[in-house]
Amino acid sequence: MLQIITLIFLTIGEFVGHGDATDHFITRCLKHEREALLDFKDGLEDPDQNPRLLTWKGSYAENPDDSDHDDDDEGLDSSERYAFWILSEEIRPSLTKLKSLKHLDLSCNTFNDISIPIFYGSKLQNLQYLNLSNAGFSGPIPPNLGNLSSLRYLDLSSNTFDSKVPNWLANVSSLVTIDLSNNLLHGRIPLSLADLPNLEILSLNSNGILIRASTSQLLRGRWEKIQGVIPSSIGKLYNLKFFLVGSNSLTGNLPESLEVSRNYVSSRPLTSLQHLDISSNELSGRLPEWLGQLENLIELTLYNNLLYGPILNSLHLLQNLEQLDLGWNRLNGTLPKSIGQLSELSVLRVDSNNLTGVVTEKHFLKHTKLKILDISFNSFKLDVASNWVPPFQTRFIGMSSCYLNSSFPGWLQSQKKIKLLAFSNSSIFGSVPSWFWEISPGLESFNFSFNQLNGQLPSSFKVKGTFAGSIPENISAALPKLKILSLVENQIKGKIPASIGNMQSILVIDLSGNNLTGTIPPSIGNCSQLRALDLSENNLSGN
């Protein structure tokens, strides 16, 4: 009997039996299977009249080997063959007649808040892959999905599912991937998930967030999120690579220790873990020592919690670590110099904590791949040599509220790929050197507010003369992509140049608290993207 292998609604119509289907669709369905597919199609509404559904014909083959190639598909290019769908209406139970169906993908459709059909869990026993993400389903997740004993991949993300995190997930021991992110799930993370021997990806990010809520859901005020604590039993998930539970309401401390399985060779927990994201929860307590033992970790994101205590010195042992984000917590103590040994690091964020101490070149010693650096809003003192050349080329540097106590930092001259700079309230004094205007043609935002910058704002623009104490007349030509111009509370003099009206990407202009004179140029009205303008506390005149 013909084995129906796959039904994917990004490539609908590929019902392949035996033979080569690289250039043509081979429609080798038996009669009852073809009838089931046509009935299933009749329940769908396709507002775009996509050719992919139009190729489904009513004829069938009693013998699969008698089927011919379907030539209606020859005119479709690759973008049409794999386009997203906007199917809606009903899911007819005729789908259950495809007894051998293993792969079902109904993602990225608009099923208008209908529930997941109950028959999925009772009839499709051979299903290995089920993707219903971003498809407009709602209501509870039916518990009989737990009967899909062969299921390996389950993606129900980005719908308005409104129920507790299902306990029945632990009944499907074959599961490798579980993605329930971006829903309205609540309750606790089931302890029984630790019994799934093959689980590699567990994503519960951003639940309780109303992405596409109905009126009734808004009136009920359903803003519950996944609650409770991180169970120590997750340590038994030796195959787990992704543990993503950000943007929920998890509380308590991170477990001081994790459980390990007696049936596993390694005595260490979470030996395969690569991505750990517990950001934007309500976790408190200290960073546990086991974080420094996750030798395969690539991402550690604990951003926006209530964690306190020191940063672990043992984090330098995580030699595969690419992203370290500990920002917006209550961490104290110093930044360990050993952080500089993480040669793969591309993101380092410890901003908005209670950290103190001196930051030196040793903290960045091997950071040749660093793209994002943010140590803002702590009590750091930056102490680097005047001729220091950083090993990195970053896109973003944040050192606001750090104590530099120096003239304009010369080491910025080496940064040729910079897009965003944040150095407000950093005890910088003196004039802005001419090279600053040429360090990166892609510079989009720089904030040097609340410093003591004075004298001239020079540039190496191809114009004659200097611009002592003023904003260069052709600033728009030099910084065409600039989105935020903030020079608050400095000693900038002169007029606002009329060419500022040519900055078509500018979103924010804040020149308040300076010594600017003259009138406000009418050309600012040409800045069509402008959202905020502050010219207060200057010596401007006119209308």
Side-chain angles (χ1 to χ4, degrees), residues 25 48 253 290 310 322 331 333 356 414 420 525:
F25 277 69
D48 293 336
N253 298 352
W290 54 262
E322 297 177 6
L331 299 172
T356 59
S414 67
L420 304 171

Side-chain angles (χ1 to χ4, degrees), residues 481-493:
K481 298 181 180 179
L482 194 68
K483 295 182 179 179
I484 300 176
L485 174 60
S486 177
L487 294 169
V488 182
E489 294 288 342
N490 283 288
Q491 299 179 31
I492 310 303
K493 301 177 181 179

Side-chain angles (χ1 to χ4, degrees), residues 322-325 345-349 369-372:
E322 297 177 6
Q323 179 170 332
L324 176 60
D325 191 344
L345 210 60
S346 62
V347 175
L348 174 58
R349 291 194 57 185
K369 300 181 180 180
L370 200 62
K371 296 294 183 290
I372 296 176

Side-chain angles (χ1 to χ4, degrees), residues 31-51:
K31 178 179 180 180
H32 71 280
E33 293 169 337
R34 183 178 288 266
E35 290 175 347
L37 291 172
L38 289 172
D39 181 70
F40 176 78
K41 170 196 169 185
D42 290 341
L44 301 175
E45 178 181 338
D46 178 17
D48 293 336
Q49 290 296 304
N50 196 292

Side-chain angles (χ1 to χ4, degrees), residues 371-507:
K371 296 294 183 290
I372 296 176
L373 170 63
D374 196 350
I375 60 173
S376 301
F377 305 114
N378 286 283
S379 296
F380 287 133
K381 177 182 179 181
L382 184 68
D383 185 10
V384 296
S386 59
N387 59 349
W388 180 52
V389 177
F392 48 74
Q393 287 289 327
T394 65
R395 295 193 300 267
F396 170 75
I397 299 177
M399 292 190 177
S400 293
S401 294
C402 292
Y403 185 70
L404 273 64
N405 192 32
S406 70
S407 58
F408 201 89
W411 54 268
L412 284 177
Q413 189 172 5
S414 67
Q415 302 301 298
K416 304 302 183 184
K417 298 181 179 180
I418 200 75
K419 291 183 178 294
L420 304 171
L421 286 173
F423 280 78
S424 64
N425 190 31
S426 296
S427 302
I428 301 174
F429 53 81
S431 60
V432 180
S434 59
W435 54 256
F436 174 71
W437 305 103
E438 18 172 66
I439 61 172
S440 175
L443 187 64
E444 296 178 359
S445 170
F446 61 92
N447 185 351
F448 285 89
S449 58
F450 299 100
N451 284 291
Q452 296 298 315
L453 295 173
N454 55 38
Q456 65 188 100
L457 276 175
S459 73
S460 59
F461 306 151
K462 295 181 179 179
V463 295
K464 296 180 180 180
T466 62
F467 299 92
S470 63
I471 300 173
E473 176 60 38
N474 58 348
I475 187 174
S476 61
L479 299 169
K481 298 181 180 179
L482 194 68
K483 295 182 179 179
I484 300 176
L485 174 60
S486 177
L487 294 169
V488 182
E489 294 288 342
N490 283 288
Q491 299 179 31
I492 310 303
K493 301 177 181 179
K495 297 181 179 181
I496 301 173
S499 65
I500 205 166
N502 298 328
M503 304 179 78
Q504 295 301 307
S505 298
I506 199 77
L507 300 174

Side-chain angles (χ1 to χ4, degrees), residues 2 28 35 49 83 143 154 215 233 281 335 347 387 390 419 478 539:
L2 174 68
R28 296 182 175 181
E35 290 175 347
Q49 290 296 304
L154 176 64
T215 302
S233 58
N281 280 280
L335 183 66
V347 175
N387 59 349
K419 291 183 178 294
N539 297 315

Side-chain angles (χ1 to χ4, degrees), residues 159-160 162 182-184 206-214 217-225:
N159 289 284
T160 56
D162 186 0
N182 297 318
N183 279 292
L184 290 172
S206 302
N207 272 286
I209 296 178
L210 299 178
I211 293 178
R212 188 174 51 223
S214 65
Q217 286 167 333
L218 290 171
L219 291 175
R220 290 202 309 272
R222 294 305 300 266
W223 290 89
E224 294 180 82
K225 297 184 179 183

Side-chain angles (χ1 to χ4, degrees), residues 189-229:
I189 299 175
L191 297 176
S192 54
L193 290 182
D195 297 325
L196 293 174
N198 302 306
L199 191 62
E200 295 182 3
I201 298 176
L202 175 59
S203 179
L204 300 172
N205 273 343
S206 302
N207 272 286
I209 296 178
L210 299 178
I211 293 178
R212 188 174 51 223
S214 65
T215 302
S216 61
Q217 286 167 333
L218 290 171
L219 291 175
R220 290 202 309 272
R222 294 305 300 266
W223 290 89
E224 294 180 82
K225 297 184 179 183
I226 297 174
Q227 303 164 348
V229 299

